[in-house]
Amino acid sequence: SLWSMNRQDQIEAVFSHETALVIYDVSDANPHQLHMTVPKHFRRHSTPPAPVVFYKQQLSEKDIREGRGFKVTTPVRTILDLLYANETDERIIKQAIQQLFERGLITHHDVAMIKEKNTNRDIAKFLKKHLIFK
């Protein structure tokens, strides 16, 4: 996180994707790399810390939670990122959604919003197939 500070000493990188699942302690995700989302304008001239995978995307403040010295995508944003990236085993995503719901980190409303935001029919089928929520 500190590596991503801009000239105004603001952390620009946000832990995301499978790394966010680890931070929330949901699912059996065990990524071999740190996943971080950075703004589209993000530029660094120094070598990034290894092993980090960067995703460039402009996140809104409502998609970010602040920790002590780091930022992480919200549970809903994390699930959307995983679904869009299509790099994570569906079993992990299903397990994460169920555990996030059981722990009160996402609600029925959040799941409905995830369904609503997706225009990808495969994602909609996945949510309908694997979620007990209607």
Side-chain angles (χ1 to χ4, degrees):
S1 283
L2 295 177
W3 176 83
S4 76
M5 286 181 129
N6 63 20
R7 291 181 182 177
Q8 290 77 38
D9 289 333
Q10 298 168 326
I11 294 173
E12 293 192 281
V14 179
F15 288 109
S16 61
H17 297 76
E18 288 186 18
T19 302
L21 295 181
V22 172
I23 291 171
Y24 289 117
D25 193 26
V26 293
S27 81
D28 293 332
N30 187 16
H32 293 52
Q33 300 170 310
L34 292 174
H35 300 263
M36 301 185 94
T37 299
V38 295
K40 291 181 179 182
H41 68 272
F42 183 79
R43 300 279 186 273
R44 292 293 292 195
H45 298 291
S46 60
T47 305
V52 178
V53 175
F54 289 106
Y55 299 89
K56 288 199 172 190
Q57 180 179 358
Q58 206 61 43
L59 296 173
S60 71
E61 287 300 315
K62 67 180 175 128
D63 291 329
I64 301 170
R65 285 191 176 176
E66 300 243 358
R68 289 186 166 187
F70 70 93
K71 297 179 182 181
V72 62
T73 52
T74 63
V76 171
R77 177 81 257 161
T78 299
I79 296 302
L80 287 171
D81 288 343
L82 291 169
L83 290 168
Y84 288 132
N86 198 27
E87 298 168 350
T88 303
D89 187 296
E90 287 185 359
R91 182 186 59 80
I92 295 290
I93 298 172
K94 175 187 171 192
Q95 185 182 46
I97 292 170
Q98 289 174 333
Q99 289 177 3
L100 287 165
F101 184 78
E102 290 166 3
R103 295 178 189 175
L105 295 172
I106 61 173
T107 64
H108 287 287
H109 179 268
D110 294 329
V111 173
M113 186 173 46
I114 290 169
K115 289 180 182 179
E116 182 182 305
K117 284 190 173 189
N118 287 299
T119 56
N120 183 323
R121 290 185 182 176
D122 292 336
I123 292 171
K125 283 182 193 176
F126 170 81
L127 290 170
K128 186 175 182 179
K129 177 180 174 186
H130 293 293
L131 295 178
I132 55 173
F133 324 112
K134 298 292 180 203

